[in-house]
């Protein structure tokens, strides 16, 4: 599903965020990316999503080299294949939960975005919160809303960067169980970056990063 070849990233200030990282991810795999803060986890996820360009190396998704695409091609490719979930929810504060999801569907040109949003909220057990604003939700509910926004595009791959970083352990476990349910129902491939050791048993496999290098 995903092939990462010899990725490196050197920022203008000389910081070496990644140093020759290579690995494969199978379709439907639930892969953990672990390591201390500053180890390169976020940079790696951004490159797999096409949000950043590597200094060297290549990324293939289903045999297509996304590192060779321009911004317009990447945007279209992401819309049809990849969703990104951040630690911070980035919800639109002036809009309801339902509106936050519907807007995504509208921007993607879906025929019935509101209907799709209601179906996603039902799956996420958030229907009773559909008319609430983000500030009226718990942290777990806000993160589930952010996940719902990602699901509006029916992605094949979900990349999540510290998705439980602002949640307590119990809420964090609920998010991981939701990810596994999505993998089971929809065959979504997940790469989840976390430094929370409590979550390691959820993963099929764990890659560990330290100072931009994959540890054996």
């Amino acid at each position: 599903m995903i092939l990462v070849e010899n990725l490196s990233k050197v920022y203008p200030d000389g910081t070496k965020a990644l140093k020759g990282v290579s690995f494969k991810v199978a379709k439907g795999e639930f892969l953990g990316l672990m390591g201390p803060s500053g180890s390169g986890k976020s940079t790696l996820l951004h490159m797999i999503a096409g949000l950043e360009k590597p200094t060297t190396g290549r990324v293939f998704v289903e045999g297509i080299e996304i590192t060779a695409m321009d911004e317009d091609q990447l945007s279209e490719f992401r819309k049809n294949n990849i969703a990104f979930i951040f630690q911070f929810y980035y919800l639109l504060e002036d809009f309801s939960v339902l509106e936050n999801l519907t807007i995504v569907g509208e921007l993607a040109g879906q025929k019935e975005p509101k209907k799709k949003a209601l179906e996603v909220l039902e799956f996420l057990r958030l229907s009773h919160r559909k008319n609430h604003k983000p500030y009226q939700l718990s942290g777990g509910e806000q993160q589930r809303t952010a996940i719902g926004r990602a699901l509006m595009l029916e992605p094949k791959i979900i990349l999540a960067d510290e998705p439980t970083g602002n949640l307590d352990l119990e809420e964090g476990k609920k998010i991981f169980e939701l990810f596994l349910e999505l993998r089971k129902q929809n065959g979504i491939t997940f790469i989840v970056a976390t430094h929370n050791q409590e979550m390691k048993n959820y993963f099929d496999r764990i890659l560990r990063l330290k100072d931009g290098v994959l540890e054996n």
Side-chain angles (χ1 to χ4, degrees):
M1 189 71 176
I2 300 169
L3 172 62
V4 173
E5 278 189 352
N6 198 33
L7 277 194
S8 69
K9 180 66 175 182
V10 182
Y11 288 105
D13 66 359
T15 301
K16 296 179 180 179
L18 292 176
K19 304 168 187 174
V21 172
S22 299
F23 61 93
K24 297 177 182 178
V25 185
K27 181 177 174 58
E29 189 169 5
F30 193 63
L31 180 70
L33 192 58
M34 302 190 80
S37 295
S39 60
K41 301 189 300 295
S42 294
T43 300
L44 181 53
L45 284 181
H46 288 174
M47 289 187 190
I48 295 170
L51 297 172
E52 282 190 57
K53 291 282 190 183
T55 304
T56 63
R58 301 187 294 176
V59 177
F60 295 85
V61 177
E62 292 195 309
I64 299 168
E65 186 186 349
I66 67 167
T67 36
M69 293 180 177
D70 63 29
E71 288 305 318
D72 289 341
Q73 291 170 324
L74 278 170
S75 179
E76 188 66 21
F77 186 82
R78 274 195 299 269
K79 187 172 75 174
N80 295 315
N81 293 279
I82 299 173
F84 205 104
I85 296 168
F86 299 89
Q87 176 177 348
F88 302 100
Y89 316 124
Y90 297 117
L91 300 174
L92 300 171
E93 293 294 333
D94 294 333
F95 294 85
S96 69
V97 167
L98 178 58
E99 289 167 338
N100 263 275
L101 270 63
T102 302
I103 287 168
V104 174
E106 289 172 347
L107 291 172
Q110 293 176 355
K111 288 183 179 179
E112 296 183 273
K114 187 174 180 180
K115 181 182 177 184
K116 172 73 176 174
L118 288 168
E119 290 171 356
V120 170
L121 291 175
E122 180 71 25
F123 171 77
L124 294 171
R125 297 177 288 279
L126 279 173
S127 295
H128 64 299
R129 293 294 211 181
K130 66 184 179 185
N131 294 318
H132 288 70
K133 301 284 180 67
Y135 70 86
Q136 297 173 303
L137 307 179
S138 70
E141 288 169 338
Q142 289 188 63
Q143 187 59 288
R144 293 212 317 270
T145 302
I147 293 167
R149 210 170 40 185
L151 294 179
M152 286 295 293
L153 300 177
E154 300 181 354
K156 298 175 184 175
I157 298 165
I158 288 181
L159 307 173
D161 192 3
E162 300 286 359
T164 62
N166 292 326
L167 306 177
D168 63 32
L169 182 58
E170 286 310 307
E171 284 292 343
K173 286 181 176 178
K174 288 177 185 177
I175 295 298
F176 271 67
E177 283 157 12
L178 173 60
F179 286 164
L180 290 176
E181 194 174 345
L182 285 167
R183 190 261 295 266
K184 182 179 178 181
Q185 288 199 13
N186 301 333
I188 297 173
T189 303
F190 282 86
I191 304 180
V192 182
T194 181
H195 61 261
N196 190 341
Q197 294 293 325
E198 299 279 354
M199 300 301 182
K200 63 184 181 182
N201 291 333
Y202 286 94
F203 296 116
D204 298 329
R205 181 168 60 108
I206 295 172
L207 299 179
R208 297 185 184 276
L209 269 175
K210 185 176 181 181
D211 297 328
V213 177
L214 274 184
E215 296 186 314
N216 295 324

